[in-house]
Amino acid sequence: MDEELRSLTERLRRESGGSPEGTVLYERLTATADQDELAGVLTESGQPLWARELAAFRLGLAGDRRAFEALVLLLNHRDPPRCASAAHALARLGDPRTARAAAALATNELRVAYALHPVRLLVELRAPESVPALITTLRRRLRPHDPHRRVALACVEGLGALGDGRARPVLNDALAHPVLAEAAVHALARIPRQR
Protein backbone atom coordinates (compact mmCIF):
# COMPACT_ATOMS: atom_id res chain seq x y z
CA MET A 1 0.00 0.00 0.00
CA ASP A 2 1.18 3.52 -0.83
CA GLU A 3 2.58 5.14 2.36
CA GLU A 4 0.59 8.33 1.80
CA LEU A 5 -2.61 6.29 1.35
CA ARG A 6 -1.91 4.34 4.54
CA SER A 7 -1.32 7.54 6.50
CA LEU A 8 -4.44 9.15 5.06
CA THR A 9 -6.69 6.18 5.77
CA GLU A 10 -5.48 5.94 9.37
CA ARG A 11 -6.12 9.65 9.92
CA LEU A 12 -9.53 9.57 8.25
CA ARG A 13 -10.58 6.45 10.16
CA ARG A 14 -10.12 8.49 13.35
CA GLU A 15 -11.95 11.48 11.83
CA SER A 16 -14.92 9.35 10.81
CA GLY A 17 -15.77 9.39 14.50
CA GLY A 18 -16.51 5.75 15.10
CA SER A 19 -20.27 6.24 14.75
CA PRO A 20 -22.06 3.40 12.96
CA GLU A 21 -22.87 5.69 10.01
CA GLY A 22 -19.31 7.02 9.83
CA THR A 23 -17.81 3.54 10.04
CA VAL A 24 -20.09 2.22 7.27
CA LEU A 25 -19.27 5.17 5.00
CA TYR A 26 -15.55 4.92 5.74
CA GLU A 27 -15.49 1.17 4.99
CA ARG A 28 -17.51 1.69 1.80
CA LEU A 29 -15.19 4.42 0.51
CA THR A 30 -12.01 2.50 1.26
CA ALA A 31 -13.30 -0.73 -0.30
CA THR A 32 -15.08 0.42 -3.45
CA ALA A 33 -13.52 0.20 -6.87
CA ASP A 34 -16.41 2.20 -8.38
CA GLN A 35 -15.07 5.59 -9.39
CA ASP A 36 -18.59 6.88 -10.04
CA GLU A 37 -19.47 6.12 -6.43
CA LEU A 38 -16.39 8.02 -5.24
CA ALA A 39 -17.18 10.96 -7.54
CA GLY A 40 -20.72 11.02 -6.17
CA VAL A 41 -19.35 11.72 -2.70
CA LEU A 42 -17.75 14.90 -4.06
CA THR A 43 -21.06 16.26 -5.32
CA GLU A 44 -23.58 14.97 -2.76
CA SER A 45 -24.62 17.54 -0.19
CA GLY A 46 -24.01 16.81 3.48
CA GLN A 47 -20.93 14.65 3.03
CA PRO A 48 -18.32 15.16 5.77
CA LEU A 49 -14.97 16.67 4.85
CA TRP A 50 -13.10 13.46 5.64
CA ALA A 51 -15.30 11.51 3.20
CA ARG A 52 -14.77 14.07 0.45
CA GLU A 53 -11.02 13.97 1.08
CA LEU A 54 -10.92 10.17 0.91
CA ALA A 55 -12.96 10.08 -2.29
CA ALA A 56 -10.89 12.83 -3.96
CA PHE A 57 -7.62 11.19 -2.94
CA ARG A 58 -8.63 7.79 -4.31
CA LEU A 59 -9.89 9.35 -7.55
CA GLY A 60 -6.69 11.36 -7.88
CA LEU A 61 -4.53 8.27 -7.52
CA ALA A 62 -6.68 6.59 -10.16
CA GLY A 63 -6.16 9.50 -12.58
CA ASP A 64 -9.84 10.51 -12.52
CA ARG A 65 -9.97 14.24 -13.20
CA ARG A 66 -13.29 14.64 -11.42
CA ALA A 67 -11.15 14.91 -8.28
CA PHE A 68 -9.30 18.02 -9.46
CA GLU A 69 -11.41 20.79 -7.87
CA ALA A 70 -11.73 19.00 -4.53
CA LEU A 71 -8.01 18.28 -4.41
CA VAL A 72 -7.12 21.91 -5.18
CA LEU A 73 -9.38 23.08 -2.35
CA LEU A 74 -7.70 20.59 -0.01
CA LEU A 75 -4.25 21.71 -1.18
CA ASN A 76 -5.08 25.14 0.22
CA HIS A 77 -6.59 23.88 3.50
CA ARG A 78 -5.45 25.12 6.91
CA ASP A 79 -4.73 21.53 8.03
CA PRO A 80 -1.23 20.46 6.81
CA PRO A 81 -2.03 16.72 6.56
CA ARG A 82 -4.92 17.51 4.20
CA CYS A 83 -2.61 19.69 2.10
CA ALA A 84 0.01 16.95 1.97
CA SER A 85 -2.44 14.26 0.87
CA ALA A 86 -3.95 16.57 -1.76
CA ALA A 87 -0.48 17.40 -3.14
CA HIS A 88 0.34 13.69 -3.33
CA ALA A 89 -2.85 12.91 -5.22
CA LEU A 90 -2.54 15.94 -7.52
CA ALA A 91 0.99 14.92 -8.47
CA ARG A 92 -0.38 11.58 -9.66
CA LEU A 93 -3.62 12.85 -11.19
CA GLY A 94 -2.07 13.96 -14.46
CA ASP A 95 -4.40 16.94 -14.93
CA PRO A 96 -2.80 19.71 -17.03
CA ARG A 97 -4.45 22.35 -14.81
CA THR A 98 -2.54 21.23 -11.71
CA ALA A 99 0.64 23.29 -12.15
CA ARG A 100 -1.30 26.47 -12.88
CA ALA A 101 -3.47 25.95 -9.79
CA ALA A 102 -0.45 25.18 -7.58
CA ALA A 103 1.34 28.27 -8.90
CA ALA A 104 -1.70 30.44 -8.14
CA LEU A 105 -1.85 29.08 -4.58
CA ALA A 106 1.90 29.40 -4.01
CA THR A 107 1.95 33.04 -5.12
CA ASN A 108 -1.26 34.14 -3.36
CA GLU A 109 -0.06 36.52 -0.64
CA LEU A 110 -3.39 36.26 1.17
CA ARG A 111 -2.86 32.51 1.64
CA VAL A 112 0.93 32.38 1.96
CA ALA A 113 0.67 30.64 5.34
CA TYR A 114 -0.65 27.63 3.40
CA ALA A 115 1.80 27.80 0.47
CA LEU A 116 4.24 25.12 1.65
CA HIS A 117 2.55 22.19 -0.06
CA PRO A 118 1.78 24.04 -3.31
CA VAL A 119 5.48 24.99 -3.46
CA ARG A 120 6.55 21.38 -2.93
CA LEU A 121 4.03 20.20 -5.52
CA LEU A 122 5.44 22.63 -8.08
CA VAL A 123 8.90 21.19 -7.53
CA GLU A 124 7.61 17.65 -7.99
CA LEU A 125 5.69 18.59 -11.16
CA ARG A 126 8.68 20.35 -12.80
CA ALA A 127 6.17 22.24 -14.95
CA PRO A 128 6.86 25.45 -16.90
CA GLU A 129 5.03 27.36 -14.13
CA SER A 130 7.25 25.95 -11.37
CA VAL A 131 10.36 28.14 -11.52
CA PRO A 132 8.59 31.49 -12.06
CA ALA A 133 6.16 30.78 -9.20
CA LEU A 134 8.92 29.74 -6.81
CA ILE A 135 10.99 32.81 -7.72
CA THR A 136 8.00 35.10 -7.09
CA THR A 137 7.15 33.44 -3.80
CA LEU A 138 10.74 33.47 -2.57
CA ARG A 139 11.31 37.09 -3.56
CA ARG A 140 8.33 38.11 -1.40
CA ARG A 141 9.65 36.06 1.52
CA LEU A 142 12.94 37.97 1.50
CA ARG A 143 11.29 41.05 3.00
CA PRO A 144 12.44 41.99 6.52
CA HIS A 145 10.63 40.14 9.32
CA ASP A 146 8.69 37.84 7.01
CA PRO A 147 7.15 35.13 9.22
CA HIS A 148 6.94 32.44 6.52
CA ARG A 149 10.47 31.03 6.65
CA ARG A 150 9.37 27.43 6.00
CA VAL A 151 7.82 28.54 2.71
CA ALA A 152 10.98 30.49 1.85
CA LEU A 153 13.18 27.50 2.65
CA ALA A 154 10.99 25.21 0.52
CA CYS A 155 11.36 27.68 -2.37
CA VAL A 156 15.15 27.80 -2.00
CA GLU A 157 15.45 24.02 -1.86
CA GLY A 158 12.97 23.61 -4.71
CA LEU A 159 14.80 26.06 -6.95
CA GLY A 160 18.00 24.14 -6.31
CA ALA A 161 16.29 20.87 -7.21
CA LEU A 162 14.91 22.38 -10.41
CA GLY A 163 18.37 23.68 -11.34
CA ASP A 164 17.14 26.53 -13.53
CA GLY A 165 19.51 29.45 -14.10
CA ARG A 166 16.66 31.97 -13.82
CA ALA A 167 16.72 31.33 -10.06
CA ARG A 168 20.32 32.46 -9.59
CA PRO A 169 19.53 36.17 -8.78
CA VAL A 170 16.89 35.43 -6.13
CA LEU A 171 19.05 32.69 -4.61
CA ASN A 172 21.94 35.15 -4.42
CA ASP A 173 19.60 37.53 -2.56
CA ALA A 174 18.66 34.69 -0.19
CA LEU A 175 22.32 34.39 0.84
CA ALA A 176 21.88 37.56 2.92
CA HIS A 177 19.26 35.85 5.12
CA PRO A 178 20.87 33.70 7.84
CA VAL A 179 17.97 31.23 7.96
CA LEU A 180 18.23 30.63 4.21
CA ALA A 181 21.95 31.13 3.52
CA GLU A 182 23.13 27.52 3.82
CA ALA A 183 20.27 26.19 1.71
CA ALA A 184 20.87 28.94 -0.86
CA VAL A 185 24.55 27.95 -1.14
CA HIS A 186 23.53 24.34 -1.82
CA ALA A 187 20.82 25.41 -4.27
CA LEU A 188 23.23 27.64 -6.21
CA ALA A 189 25.71 24.77 -6.40
CA ARG A 190 23.06 22.63 -8.12
CA ILE A 191 22.44 25.17 -10.89
CA PRO A 192 24.72 24.55 -13.88
CA ARG A 193 27.01 27.44 -14.76
CA GLN A 194 26.36 29.11 -18.08
CA ARG A 195 29.21 28.93 -20.55
XYZ file of all heavy atoms in Angstrom, residues 95-188:
709
model
N -3.538 15.890 -14.361
C -4.395 16.935 -14.929
C -3.523 18.127 -15.334
O -2.748 18.628 -14.523
C -5.439 17.371 -13.898
C -6.528 18.227 -14.524
O -6.199 19.287 -15.089
O -7.703 17.830 -14.434
N -3.654 18.603 -16.580
C -2.802 19.709 -17.030
C -3.057 21.018 -16.284
O -2.240 21.934 -16.355
C -3.138 19.841 -18.520
C -4.457 19.177 -18.697
C -4.547 18.122 -17.642
N -4.150 21.129 -15.565
C -4.453 22.349 -14.807
C -3.714 22.420 -13.473
O -3.686 23.469 -12.822
C -5.959 22.443 -14.533
C -6.819 22.457 -15.783
C -8.294 22.316 -15.448
N -8.564 20.975 -14.943
C -9.747 20.580 -14.485
N -10.765 21.422 -14.448
N -9.919 19.349 -14.051
N -3.106 21.323 -13.058
C -2.537 21.230 -11.712
C -1.432 22.254 -11.474
O -1.433 22.939 -10.446
C -2.019 19.803 -11.440
O -3.110 18.893 -11.553
C -1.410 19.689 -10.059
N -0.483 22.374 -12.372
C 0.639 23.290 -12.151
C 0.163 24.734 -12.060
O 0.629 25.501 -11.207
C 1.676 23.132 -13.252
N -0.770 25.111 -12.906
C -1.297 26.474 -12.884
C -2.003 26.757 -11.557
O -1.846 27.813 -10.959
C -2.233 26.686 -14.069
C -2.571 28.117 -14.356
C -3.393 28.249 -15.618
N -4.101 26.996 -15.881
C -4.181 26.383 -17.046
N -3.674 26.888 -18.085
N -4.812 25.243 -17.191
N -2.771 25.786 -11.067
C -3.469 25.950 -9.785
C -2.472 26.021 -8.632
O -2.602 26.872 -7.737
C -4.442 24.798 -9.564
N -1.468 25.158 -8.644
C -0.455 25.179 -7.580
C 0.322 26.492 -7.596
O 0.631 27.063 -6.541
C 0.493 23.988 -7.724
N 0.632 26.990 -8.793
C 1.343 28.267 -8.897
C 0.489 29.408 -8.355
O 0.993 30.306 -7.654
C 1.738 28.539 -10.345
N -0.805 29.396 -8.651
C -1.695 30.436 -8.139
C -1.763 30.396 -6.616
O -1.756 31.446 -5.957
C -3.092 30.273 -8.738
N -1.810 29.200 -6.043
C -1.855 29.080 -4.584
C -0.527 29.477 -3.951
O -0.496 30.131 -2.909
C -2.218 27.651 -4.183
C -3.633 27.201 -4.535
C -3.815 25.727 -4.211
C -4.676 28.057 -3.829
N 0.586 29.087 -4.566
C 1.898 29.404 -4.007
C 2.180 30.899 -4.016
O 2.874 31.411 -3.135
C 2.988 28.672 -4.778
N 1.649 31.604 -4.987
C 1.947 33.039 -5.124
C 0.862 33.932 -4.533
O 0.980 35.153 -4.599
C 2.160 33.411 -6.608
O 0.986 33.080 -7.349
C 3.376 32.688 -7.186
N -0.170 33.357 -3.947
C -1.257 34.143 -3.365
C -0.834 34.655 -1.989
O -0.782 33.899 -1.023
C -2.520 33.290 -3.255
C -3.707 34.045 -2.711
O -3.581 35.125 -2.147
N -4.879 33.463 -2.876
N -0.538 35.927 -1.894
C -0.064 36.518 -0.636
C -1.096 36.430 0.483
O -0.738 36.415 1.657
C 0.355 37.969 -0.836
C 1.750 38.123 -1.378
C 2.811 37.520 -0.471
O 3.072 38.057 0.618
O 3.380 36.477 -0.866
N -2.371 36.364 0.142
C -3.394 36.265 1.174
C -3.426 34.877 1.813
O -3.950 34.710 2.909
C -4.772 36.597 0.599
C -4.923 38.015 0.044
C -6.294 38.194 -0.587
C -4.698 39.042 1.146
N -2.852 33.887 1.138
C -2.856 32.510 1.643
C -1.441 31.960 1.795
O -1.248 30.744 1.829
C -3.649 31.621 0.684
C -5.086 32.016 0.438
C -5.991 31.777 1.598
N -6.124 30.346 1.856
C -6.741 29.844 2.909
N -7.274 30.625 3.799
N -6.820 28.542 3.086
N -0.465 32.831 1.931
C 0.927 32.383 1.962
C 1.206 31.440 3.130
O 2.078 30.582 3.047
C 1.912 33.586 1.956
C 1.846 34.373 3.256
C 3.323 33.115 1.670
N 0.465 31.548 4.202
C 0.666 30.643 5.337
C 0.416 29.186 4.939
O 0.898 28.265 5.600
C -0.248 31.036 6.490
N -0.319 28.978 3.849
C -0.653 27.626 3.399
C 0.062 27.270 2.086
O -0.356 26.345 1.386
C -2.171 27.491 3.212
C -2.920 27.963 4.433
C -3.641 29.149 4.407
C -2.861 27.257 5.627
C -4.307 29.605 5.539
C -3.515 27.702 6.766
C -4.242 28.875 6.713
O -4.883 29.322 7.827
N 1.119 27.978 1.762
C 1.795 27.799 0.471
C 2.838 26.694 0.458
O 3.337 26.339 -0.608
C 2.447 29.116 0.038
N 3.170 26.117 1.596
C 4.241 25.123 1.646
C 3.987 23.940 0.711
O 4.854 23.567 -0.090
C 4.438 24.636 3.087
C 5.560 23.627 3.303
C 6.914 24.239 2.944
C 5.556 23.143 4.752
N 2.830 23.364 0.775
C 2.551 22.186 -0.060
C 2.374 22.526 -1.536
O 2.852 21.761 -2.391
C 1.375 21.396 0.507
C 1.738 20.748 1.812
N 2.538 19.637 1.902
C 1.451 21.098 3.089
C 2.711 19.314 3.162
N 2.068 20.187 3.910
N 1.759 23.663 -1.888
C 1.776 24.036 -3.311
C 3.198 24.232 -3.848
O 3.495 23.831 -4.978
C 0.970 25.341 -3.335
C 0.018 25.206 -2.204
C 0.804 24.485 -1.127
N 4.081 24.809 -3.039
C 5.478 24.985 -3.459
C 6.118 23.623 -3.705
O 6.757 23.395 -4.744
C 6.270 25.802 -2.412
C 7.776 25.658 -2.605
C 5.858 27.267 -2.459
N 5.958 22.722 -2.766
C 6.554 21.379 -2.926
C 5.965 20.638 -4.127
O 6.674 19.912 -4.823
C 6.356 20.576 -1.648
C 7.208 21.089 -0.504
C 6.970 20.312 0.767
N 7.860 20.759 1.828
C 7.671 20.473 3.104
N 6.625 19.750 3.480
N 8.519 20.926 4.012
N 4.667 20.824 -4.353
C 4.029 20.197 -5.516
C 4.617 20.743 -6.811
O 4.886 19.983 -7.752
C 2.515 20.418 -5.467
C 1.715 19.888 -6.653
C 1.905 18.382 -6.851
C 0.234 20.212 -6.476
N 4.846 22.040 -6.877
C 5.441 22.631 -8.082
C 6.814 22.041 -8.374
O 7.160 21.802 -9.532
C 5.541 24.153 -7.928
C 4.232 24.906 -8.091
C 4.372 26.337 -7.591
C 3.775 24.883 -9.537
N 7.580 21.795 -7.337
C 8.903 21.186 -7.528
C 8.745 19.775 -8.079
O 9.434 19.391 -9.029
C 9.704 21.181 -6.211
C 11.034 20.455 -6.391
C 9.941 22.614 -5.724
N 7.818 19.025 -7.518
C 7.609 17.655 -7.988
C 7.111 17.621 -9.433
O 7.523 16.774 -10.224
C 6.611 16.941 -7.077
C 6.451 15.481 -7.396
C 5.592 14.729 -6.397
O 5.201 15.305 -5.358
O 5.305 13.551 -6.659
N 6.259 18.570 -9.806
C 5.695 18.587 -11.155
C 6.713 18.987 -12.219
O 6.601 18.586 -13.368
C 4.501 19.545 -11.216
C 3.267 19.151 -10.419
C 2.232 20.260 -10.460
C 2.678 17.841 -10.931
N 7.677 19.849 -11.852
C 8.680 20.348 -12.801
C 8.022 20.923 -14.046
O 8.450 20.719 -15.178
C 9.664 19.251 -13.192
C 10.489 18.705 -12.033
C 11.390 17.605 -12.461
N 12.733 17.486 -11.995
C 13.568 18.353 -11.493
N 13.208 19.573 -11.353
N 14.787 18.062 -11.120
N 6.944 21.652 -13.853
C 6.174 22.238 -14.950
C 6.755 23.592 -15.336
O 7.526 24.180 -14.579
C 4.720 22.400 -14.501
N 6.380 24.122 -16.498
C 6.864 25.450 -16.896
C 6.528 26.536 -15.868
O 7.260 27.504 -15.723
C 6.155 25.710 -18.222
C 5.860 24.356 -18.775
C 5.596 23.489 -17.566
N 5.428 26.366 -15.130
C 5.026 27.355 -14.128
C 5.865 27.283 -12.854
O 5.848 28.220 -12.049
C 3.552 27.139 -13.724
C 2.549 27.344 -14.825
C 2.268 26.096 -15.660
O 3.033 25.102 -15.574
O 1.293 26.124 -16.416
N 6.588 26.191 -12.646
C 7.252 25.955 -11.368
C 8.289 27.010 -11.011
O 8.216 27.631 -9.950
C 7.893 24.565 -11.356
O 6.910 23.557 -11.500
N 9.273 27.213 -11.857
C 10.365 28.137 -11.523
C 9.859 29.574 -11.356
O 10.169 30.215 -10.347
C 11.512 28.039 -12.557
C 12.544 29.136 -12.344
C 12.172 26.662 -12.458
N 9.076 30.123 -12.280
C 8.587 31.492 -12.063
C 7.787 31.653 -10.766
O 7.933 32.656 -10.061
C 7.711 31.770 -13.290
C 8.244 30.852 -14.342
C 8.688 29.621 -13.613
N 6.954 30.673 -10.439
C 6.158 30.778 -9.203
C 7.050 30.721 -7.970
O 6.853 31.490 -7.020
C 5.116 29.669 -9.158
N 8.023 29.826 -7.962
C 8.924 29.738 -6.812
C 9.778 30.995 -6.672
O 10.021 31.468 -5.553
C 9.810 28.498 -6.917
C 9.264 27.251 -6.213
C 7.936 26.811 -6.765
C 10.263 26.113 -6.282
N 10.225 31.566 -7.778
C 10.995 32.811 -7.719
C 10.137 33.929 -7.132
O 10.579 34.662 -6.238
C 11.538 33.187 -9.122
C 12.648 32.221 -9.536
C 12.029 34.631 -9.149
C 13.095 32.374 -10.979
N 8.909 34.065 -7.601
C 8.003 35.103 -7.093
C 7.749 34.925 -5.606
O 7.831 35.879 -4.818
C 6.667 35.065 -7.866
O 6.931 35.349 -9.237
C 5.668 36.063 -7.309
N 7.450 33.714 -5.202
C 7.148 33.440 -3.801
C 8.367 33.707 -2.926
O 8.254 34.343 -1.870
C 6.657 31.988 -3.633
O 5.516 31.800 -4.476
C 6.273 31.693 -2.196
N 9.530 33.250 -3.357
C 10.743 33.468 -2.569
C 11.086 34.948 -2.480
O 11.423 35.452 -1.401
C 11.919 32.684 -3.156
C 13.255 32.882 -2.437
C 13.153 32.530 -0.958
C 14.345 32.065 -3.128
N 10.989 35.665 -3.576
C 11.308 37.093 -3.561
C 10.468 37.824 -2.499
O 10.967 38.653 -1.756
C 11.087 37.704 -4.939
C 11.654 39.120 -5.059
C 11.681 39.643 -6.466
N 12.225 38.768 -7.481
C 13.507 38.475 -7.661
N 14.406 38.980 -6.860
N 13.894 37.685 -8.646
N 9.213 37.486 -2.404
C 8.327 38.111 -1.404
C 8.713 37.710 0.019
O 8.484 38.466 0.966
C 6.882 37.730 -1.675
C 6.348 38.318 -2.961
C 4.987 37.755 -3.259
N 4.433 38.298 -4.484
C 3.397 37.766 -5.121
N 2.797 36.699 -4.628
N 2.951 38.318 -6.226
N 9.270 36.523 0.188
C 9.650 36.058 1.516
C 10.961 36.676 1.990
O 11.332 36.533 3.145
C 9.810 34.529 1.543
C 8.615 33.734 1.061
C 7.419 33.692 1.986
N 6.828 34.939 2.332
C 5.907 35.588 1.583
N 5.506 35.107 0.433
N 5.396 36.731 1.999
N 11.662 37.367 1.123
C 12.944 37.971 1.496
C 12.782 39.347 2.126
O 13.772 39.989 2.458
C 13.873 38.044 0.270
C 14.258 36.685 -0.325
C 15.163 36.872 -1.531
C 14.911 35.789 0.713
N 11.549 39.775 2.326
C 11.292 41.048 3.000
C 11.691 40.925 4.472
O 11.595 39.842 5.062
C 9.815 41.410 2.905
C 9.348 41.646 1.492
C 7.858 41.976 1.483
N 7.364 41.955 0.117
C 6.199 41.453 -0.243
N 5.380 40.957 0.656
N 5.830 41.481 -1.494
N 12.079 42.045 5.094
C 12.443 41.988 6.516
C 11.277 41.497 7.373
O 10.117 41.866 7.144
C 12.782 43.443 6.864
C 13.079 44.097 5.552
C 12.268 43.370 4.516
N 11.582 40.641 8.318
C 10.634 40.138 9.321
C 9.503 39.309 8.730
O 8.429 39.224 9.324
C 10.067 41.289 10.169
C 11.102 42.221 10.680
N 12.067 41.839 11.592
C 11.361 43.517 10.383
C 12.863 42.866 11.844
N 12.459 43.894 11.117
N 9.728 38.705 7.589
C 8.691 37.842 7.012
C 8.548 36.599 7.888
O 9.539 35.938 8.201
C 9.062 37.429 5.591
C 7.959 36.622 4.943
O 7.043 37.243 4.377
O 8.001 35.380 5.029
N 7.326 36.260 8.310
C 7.147 35.125 9.223
C 7.072 33.751 8.546
O 6.976 32.739 9.239
C 5.806 35.444 9.899
C 5.045 36.194 8.854
C 6.077 36.996 8.093
N 7.163 33.696 7.245
C 6.936 32.439 6.523
C 8.255 31.820 6.050
O 8.452 31.542 4.867
C 5.979 32.673 5.356
C 4.697 33.307 5.786
N 3.762 32.641 6.542
C 4.231 34.566 5.620
C 2.758 33.456 6.801
N 3.014 34.628 6.253
N 9.143 31.555 6.985
C 10.471 31.027 6.650
C 10.419 29.607 6.086
O 11.251 29.238 5.265
C 11.404 31.077 7.869
C 11.786 32.482 8.242
C 12.591 33.092 7.115
N 12.888 34.487 7.393
C 13.085 35.389 6.468
N 13.003 35.067 5.199
N 13.363 36.625 6.775
N 9.455 28.797 6.541
C 9.366 27.431 6.004
C 9.025 27.465 4.516
O 9.535 26.658 3.730
C 8.329 26.618 6.768
C 8.777 26.284 8.186
C 7.820 25.370 8.899
N 7.829 24.064 8.260
C 6.774 23.267 8.194
N 5.627 23.623 8.718
N 6.847 22.092 7.601
N 8.169 28.395 4.128
C 7.821 28.544 2.712
C 9.052 29.015 1.940
O 9.358 28.491 0.864
C 6.634 29.509 2.534
C 6.375 29.797 1.053
C 5.384 28.957 3.199
N 9.770 29.986 2.506
C 10.982 30.492 1.850
C 12.010 29.380 1.675
O 12.609 29.228 0.604
C 11.572 31.644 2.656
N 12.210 28.590 2.723
C 13.179 27.499 2.651
C 12.760 26.465 1.605
O 13.594 25.969 0.844
C 13.334 26.846 4.030
C 14.415 25.784 4.146
C 15.788 26.337 3.772
C 14.437 25.225 5.560
N 11.476 26.153 1.539
C 10.992 25.210 0.522
C 11.243 25.750 -0.888
O 11.593 24.998 -1.796
C 9.508 24.926 0.727
N 11.088 27.069 -1.063
C 11.363 27.683 -2.372
C 12.841 27.572 -2.721
O 13.196 27.214 -3.853
C 10.941 29.151 -2.376
S 9.166 29.432 -2.381
N 13.705 27.875 -1.762
C 15.155 27.795 -2.003
C 15.536 26.369 -2.387
O 16.224 26.142 -3.397
C 15.941 28.268 -0.756
C 17.422 27.933 -0.887
C 15.758 29.766 -0.539
N 15.108 25.414 -1.581
C 15.452 24.020 -1.863
C 14.854 23.565 -3.192
O 15.502 22.850 -3.962
C 14.968 23.132 -0.717
C 15.726 23.375 0.573
C 15.103 22.711 1.785
O 13.956 22.210 1.702
O 15.772 22.698 2.838
N 13.629 23.985 -3.463
C 12.974 23.610 -4.711
C 13.678 24.189 -5.930
O 13.848 23.506 -6.938
N 14.083 25.443 -5.826
C 14.797 26.061 -6.952
C 16.131 25.364 -7.200
O 16.542 25.189 -8.345
C 14.983 27.561 -6.701
C 13.700 28.380 -6.821
C 13.898 29.790 -6.274
C 13.198 28.426 -8.256
N 16.775 24.925 -6.139
C 18.004 24.145 -6.309
C 17.718 22.823 -7.005
O 18.436 22.413 -7.917
N 16.654 22.147 -6.599
C 16.291 20.868 -7.209
C 15.932 21.031 -8.682
O 16.252 20.169 -9.503
C 15.120 20.241 -6.451
N 15.297 22.145 -9.018
C 14.909 22.380 -10.411
C 16.109 22.788 -11.274
O 16.100 22.587 -12.484
C 13.798 23.427 -10.485
C 12.467 22.972 -9.865
C 11.494 24.138 -9.769
C 11.865 21.824 -10.651
N 17.124 23.387 -10.648
C 18.373 23.678 -11.344
C 18.275 24.642 -12.509
O 19.035 24.553 -13.466
N 17.367 25.585 -12.445
C 17.145 26.530 -13.533
C 17.922 27.820 -13.263
O 17.791 28.426 -12.197
C 15.644 26.822 -13.627
C 15.270 27.593 -14.873
O 15.827 28.700 -15.090
O 14.391 27.109 -15.622
N 18.677 28.257 -14.248
C 19.509 29.450 -14.105
C 18.741 30.727 -13.799
O 19.302 31.679 -13.254
N 17.457 30.772 -14.123
C 16.662 31.967 -13.816
C 16.566 32.219 -12.318
O 16.264 33.333 -11.889
C 15.252 31.840 -14.405
C 15.217 31.819 -15.924
C 13.817 31.572 -16.440
N 13.407 30.198 -16.120
C 12.190 29.706 -16.343
N 11.248 30.479 -16.872
N 11.901 28.457 -16.052
N 16.826 31.195 -11.521
C 16.720 31.334 -10.064
C 17.972 31.929 -9.435
O 17.947 32.332 -8.269
C 16.441 29.976 -9.438
N 19.045 32.000 -10.172
C 20.321 32.459 -9.594
C 20.196 33.819 -8.889
O 20.649 33.957 -7.750
C 21.397 32.473 -10.679
C 22.805 32.596 -10.136
C 23.847 32.445 -11.231
N 23.907 31.093 -11.760
C 24.472 30.061 -11.143
N 24.987 30.221 -9.955
N 24.490 28.877 -11.707
N 19.593 34.870 -9.476
C 19.526 36.170 -8.782
C 18.792 36.121 -7.443
O 19.275 36.668 -6.444
C 18.802 37.087 -9.779
C 19.058 36.466 -11.123
C 19.100 34.984 -10.863
N 17.643 35.468 -7.386
C 16.895 35.431 -6.129
C 17.614 34.555 -5.094
O 17.582 34.845 -3.897
C 15.427 35.006 -6.342
C 15.294 33.525 -6.630
C 14.573 35.405 -5.151
N 18.279 33.512 -5.546
C 19.052 32.688 -4.612
C 20.252 33.464 -4.077
O 20.604 33.325 -2.901
C 19.488 31.382 -5.279
C 18.366 30.388 -5.559
C 18.866 29.223 -6.402
C 17.741 29.890 -4.256
N 20.866 34.283 -4.913
C 21.945 35.152 -4.417
C 21.416 36.119 -3.360
O 22.088 36.372 -2.360
C 22.605 35.913 -5.569
C 23.586 35.053 -6.332
O 24.288 34.225 -5.760
N 23.629 35.226 -7.644
N 20.220 36.657 -3.573
C 19.605 37.530 -2.564
C 19.324 36.770 -1.270
O 19.443 37.329 -0.174
C 18.306 38.140 -3.094
C 18.534 39.121 -4.239
O 19.689 39.562 -4.435
O 17.545 39.437 -4.939
N 18.960 35.503 -1.378
C 18.662 34.690 -0.188
C 19.903 34.442 0.663
O 19.788 34.184 1.863
C 18.036 33.362 -0.612
N 21.091 34.575 0.074
C 22.325 34.387 0.839
C 22.444 35.382 1.995
O 23.099 35.092 2.997
C 23.551 34.527 -0.080
C 23.735 33.444 -1.130
C 24.830 33.840 -2.113
C 24.038 32.103 -0.470
N 21.807 36.528 1.883
C 21.877 37.563 2.923
C 20.970 37.263 4.115
O 21.007 37.991 5.107
C 21.513 38.916 2.323
N 20.190 36.209 4.040
C 19.264 35.854 5.116
C 19.813 34.633 5.857
O 19.862 33.539 5.280
C 17.872 35.569 4.547
C 17.269 36.773 3.902
N 16.389 37.592 4.555
C 17.456 37.323 2.673
C 16.044 38.587 3.763
N 16.679 38.440 2.608
N 20.220 34.805 7.113
C 20.871 33.702 7.845
C 20.089 32.393 7.847
O 20.688 31.321 7.734
C 21.008 34.263 9.267
C 21.039 35.740 9.093
C 20.149 36.032 7.914
N 18.773 32.452 7.925
C 17.971 31.230 7.957
C 18.029 30.494 6.624
O 17.879 29.270 6.580
C 16.506 31.576 8.324
C 15.608 30.367 8.256
C 16.434 32.215 9.692
N 18.269 31.215 5.544
C 18.232 30.630 4.205
C 19.608 30.448 3.577
O 19.735 29.771 2.557
C 17.395 31.527 3.277
C 15.968 31.815 3.713
C 15.323 32.823 2.766
C 15.156 30.537 3.778
N 20.636 31.051 4.171
C 21.946 31.129 3.520
C 22.524 29.760 3.162
O 22.969 29.547 2.027
C 22.915 31.905 4.402
N 22.533 28.833 4.101
C 23.133 27.523 3.822
C 22.383 26.800 2.703
O 22.989 26.243 1.783
C 23.146 26.665 5.083
C 23.844 25.333 4.873
C 23.917 24.506 6.141
O 23.666 25.024 7.243
O 24.215 23.300 6.008
N 21.063 26.827 2.761
C 20.266 26.190 1.711
C 20.488 26.880 0.368
O 20.532 26.218 -0.674
C 18.785 26.206 2.080
N 20.637 28.198 0.382
C 20.872 28.935 -0.864
C 22.215 28.567 -1.476
O 22.330 28.437 -2.702
C 20.778 30.439 -0.606
N 23.237 28.379 -0.643
C 24.553 27.953 -1.145
C 24.418 26.609 -1.855
O 24.923 26.414 -2.968
C 25.589 27.870 0.006
C 26.845 27.131 -0.430
C 25.935 29.258 0.514
N 23.722 25.672 -1.208
C 23.528 24.338 -1.815
C 22.699 24.424 -3.095
O 22.983 23.733 -4.072
C 22.877 23.384 -0.817
C 23.751 23.044 0.345
N 24.957 22.384 0.218
C 23.608 23.298 1.670
C 25.511 22.231 1.407
N 24.712 22.788 2.310
N 21.664 25.264 -3.083
C 20.820 25.409 -4.269
C 21.623 25.995 -5.432
O 21.524 25.503 -6.563
C 19.615 26.293 -3.949
N 22.407 27.025 -5.155
C 23.225 27.637 -6.211
C 24.227 26.638 -6.785
O 24.497 26.646 -7.990
C 23.941 28.872 -5.673
C 23.051 30.101 -5.519
C 23.711 31.139 -4.618
C 22.723 30.704 -6.874
